[in-house]
Amino acid sequence: MTSADKDVLARAALLMLEELALRRDGKAKLRYWKTYRMAVFWLGRGVADGIVAKLAEGGYIKVEGRYVVLIKRFTHGRSLNSILKEAYNLFATGTRR
């Protein structure tokens, strides 16, 4: 894995956390977590699940059945649309290198 790949994965993890911070109570079902679904589509389920596992290991999120809950709160200054646009641009251009 190159440093560019690690950068894409790190930015994807941050975008996933930012989206969860915008959700009500920091909680979302996996099927409605849009950045996760984009990661599954562009990077594959194994890579997306690996990102979620690393976030859970780090204590940022907790997986409760079909729900993902944000444990550590942080401030964000962007809208959901801007986060999703950045995620799409990241996955669409980052995986074609």
Side-chain angles (χ1 to χ4, degrees):
M1 179 176 287
T2 65
S3 63
D5 295 336
K6 288 182 183 180
D7 183 51
V8 169
L9 296 179
R11 288 178 57 202
L14 181 62
L15 291 170
M16 288 178 174
L17 290 174
E18 286 185 35
E19 181 186 355
L20 278 178
L22 288 172
R23 299 286 177 177
R24 187 182 325 182
D25 299 326
K27 186 176 186 179
K29 281 186 178 180
L30 276 178
R31 66 187 283 181
Y32 298 119
W33 193 14
K34 294 179 181 183
T35 50
Y36 172 77
R37 286 182 23 215
M38 276 193 251
V40 168
F41 180 79
W42 288 98
L43 304 174
R45 184 168 301 278
V47 175
D49 289 341
I51 294 171
V52 171
K54 287 288 188 181
L55 290 174
E57 283 177 21
Y60 291 100
I61 63 172
K62 178 174 52 171
V63 180
E64 296 177 342
R66 291 186 288 176
Y67 287 93
V68 177
V69 180
L70 184 66
I71 296 172
K72 293 184 179 177
R73 302 281 180 196
F74 59 92
T75 59
H76 50 80
R78 302 190 307 175
S79 68
L80 182 60
N81 274 344
S82 69
I83 291 169
L84 295 177
K85 283 180 186 178
E86 184 179 340
Y88 177 79
N89 288 334
L90 173 70
F91 294 138
T93 59
T95 57
R96 291 184 185 168
R97 290 181 185 167

